[in-house]
Amino acid sequence: MALEPFKESTPLTMGVELELQLVSFSDYDLTASSPDLLHLLAQKPFPGHVTPEITESMIEINSDVHTRHSELLAQLHEVRDTLVQAGEKLNIGICGGGTHPFQKWVDRRIFEKPRFKEVSSLYGYLAKQFTVFGQHVHIGTGNGDNALFLLHSLSRYLPHFIALSASSPFVQGGDTLFNSARLNSVFAFPMSGRAPFTLSWDEFANGYFAKMEHTGVIKSMKDFYWDLRPKPEYGTIELRVCDTPLTVERAAALASYLQALCAYLLDRKEEAPAEDDYLVYNYNRFQACRFGLDGTVVHPKTYESLSLREDILTTLRRMDPYAEKLGGSAALNHLMQVTHMGSDAQYLRDQFAASGSVEGIVDAAVQRFRGRR
């Protein structure tokens, strides 16, 4: 089956998906409560969309399509409050964070949905190990050629989003020394990584995708776990490298930063993307995952080594006029503070040092999601 046509969309509209943890208040481990939670939430209108995820210890929420940061943030506040109230009725906590700090993958249960069962059958234990939690951001691009231009132009900035969203330093009870360990789980899948280089939607759809479908390896765009992928059914690109932040405020800020970056890139003020940009792609991504804001990246055009923190600050300042025009100045100010004060990964390490237990990390994450810390 040919890839569907790229849907027309309003450029620079944005939407957010957040994968969230469901935890037991008795021991702060993950709990297989998504069927009960989804049943409860279905009893009345939900301020957005809520769906199951691959294991029963997680859910995904989706925002509506927005143009301004304030509108997106207001909806995410409403979603959060609705989830917290439902969780209290079921005596479960809901929180962000890219990984749960001590859950064991063997204890997870696959949600009863045909696609999830198919993925589990194909990938074995990787499906349960994929109980990790990410934020995805969609940006409207207008057409397929713009989508591919933005997708490849943004490759230089992906370390910014990894470092700013990093919230997964702990796995299976130990500190990984990574700021974003979540992405290591994604890299295990064969269709992960980055999209092939082309700036033509026709070449992508009728060339690369058609060939891949003919091999039988993939059936749809959902089978690609790329860091950035086009979504023709929505007319968007989808950024997939972010950990789920601990707060909806940070989630909205990251979406608005991406929106401003896309506006800037569409002005064609930078040298056009090229295949050779990817020579340093994996190295830069590793630096952001391992060291977060303290990482060092290599500029794909000049090969200059840059402090990731300083590169983010410089870029945020450059985005000021675009964010102001789009109503996202408050979002960039929020991320300026993150860059100076530290990421969620640092916050979780501080909570572990203060509490002395991995359970204390989860309690802190639950309270932070509620807006109480």
Side-chain angles (χ1 to χ4, degrees):
M1 182 184 298
L3 184 61
E4 60 197 291
F6 197 92
K7 183 179 179 180
E8 289 187 12
S9 61
T10 303
L12 304 179
T13 49
M14 58 182 170
V16 164
E17 303 169 8
L18 295 176
E19 295 162 346
L20 297 168
Q21 304 185 36
L22 307 181
V23 301
S24 167
F25 281 130
S26 63
D27 59 7
Y28 289 102
D29 199 354
L30 290 178
T31 178
S33 296
S34 68
D36 292 338
L37 180 62
L38 292 168
H39 177 76
L40 178 61
L41 291 170
Q43 305 306 308
K44 58 182 180 180
F46 187 80
H49 307 276
V50 58
T51 59
E53 255 299 340
I54 190 161
T55 66
E56 293 184 350
S57 303
M58 56 196 304
I59 57 168
E60 177 180 288
I61 63 98
N62 306 325
S63 76
D64 296 327
V65 177
H66 294 285
T67 58
R68 299 180 70 82
H69 169 255
S70 59
E71 299 167 353
L72 173 61
L73 181 57
Q75 184 180 27
L76 290 180
H77 279 148
E78 192 176 358
V79 167
R80 177 199 64 191
D81 294 344
T82 302
L83 290 174
V84 168
Q85 291 172 11
E88 288 176 344
K89 292 181 179 179
L90 297 174
N91 197 35
I92 60 172
I94 300 173
C95 65
T99 56
H100 184 279
F102 64 88
Q103 68 96 13
K104 300 293 191 294
W105 67 263
V106 72
D107 296 330
R108 305 284 65 85
R109 295 208 301 251
I110 301 296
F111 191 93
E112 288 289 341
K113 186 177 178 181
R115 175 167 173 78
F116 295 153
K117 294 295 184 182
E118 179 183 343
V119 169
S120 178
S121 176
L122 175 61
Y123 291 116
Y125 90 106
L126 290 179
K128 290 186 177 182
Q129 193 183 45
F130 206 43
T131 306
V132 291
F133 310 86
Q135 172 180 352
H136 302 168
V137 183
H138 288 261
I139 300 291
T141 65
N143 60 63
D145 287 351
N146 276 347
L148 292 173
F149 171 81
L150 286 172
L151 186 150
H152 294 296
S153 297
L154 284 165
S155 65
R156 151 164 176 28
Y157 297 100
L158 287 195
H160 293 201
F161 291 91
I162 294 171
L164 288 167
S165 69
S167 61
S168 54
F170 293 93
V171 173
Q172 306 251 326
D175 190 332
T176 64
L177 301 184
F178 275 68
N179 280 261
S180 175
R182 178 189 69 92
L183 282 174
N184 293 328
S185 296
V186 181
F187 299 158
F189 288 84
M191 294 293 105
S192 63
R194 56 94 168 185
F197 188 83
T198 175
L199 298 178
S200 163
W201 183 255
D202 180 69
E203 184 177 320
F204 176 83
N206 299 314
Y208 175 81
F209 183 89
K211 291 176 181 177
M212 286 298 296
E213 186 184 37
H214 185 65
T215 67
V217 173
I218 61 100
K219 297 177 181 178
S220 73
M221 285 302 303
K222 286 184 177 181
D223 296 321
F224 293 113
Y225 288 52
W226 295 332
D227 295 342
L228 268 165
R229 68 183 179 188
K231 294 290 284 183
E233 67 269 37
Y234 300 134
T236 66
I237 55 169
E238 180 188 15
L239 176 75
R240 299 166 52 83
V241 297
C242 293
D243 287 352
T244 297
L246 298 181
T247 67
V248 296
E249 288 81 7
R250 189 150 308 165
L254 289 164
S256 294
Y257 180 32
L258 182 61
Q259 181 193 38
L261 262 175
C262 288
Y264 163 76
L265 291 168
L266 286 172
D267 273 354
R268 304 305 204 269
K269 291 186 176 181
E270 291 194 346
E271 187 178 341
E275 172 65 35
D276 279 357
D277 295 347
Y278 289 99
L279 291 173
V280 296
Y281 183 79
N282 287 338
Y283 174 82
N284 288 345
R285 185 172 57 178
F286 165 77
Q287 282 282 321
C289 289
R290 171 65 175 86
F291 301 106
L293 295 166
D294 294 324
T296 300
V297 294
V298 177
H299 194 289
K301 301 294 189 184
T302 66
Y303 301 154
E304 177 187 3
S305 290
L306 303 168
S307 157
L308 182 50
R309 188 187 306 271
E310 292 303 319
D311 192 41
I312 292 171
L313 288 170
T314 299
T315 307
L316 287 171
R317 296 186 193 103
R318 191 182 304 136
M319 294 306 110
D320 271 343
Y322 294 91
E324 184 175 3
K325 184 177 180 180
L326 292 164
S329 295
L332 266 58
N333 290 336
H334 175 97
L335 296 178
M336 281 277 192
Q337 293 178 15
V338 174
T339 308
H340 287 298
M341 299 176 63
S343 68
D344 283 339
Q346 183 59 54
Y347 174 82
L348 292 172
R349 287 190 169 107
D350 291 344
Q351 294 304 306
F352 178 70
S355 68
S357 72
V358 285
E359 291 82 5
I361 299 171
V362 182
D363 180 52
V366 169
Q367 299 307 320
R368 198 162 178 81
F369 181 74
R370 294 182 176 202
R372 294 181 181 176
R373 292 191 183 182

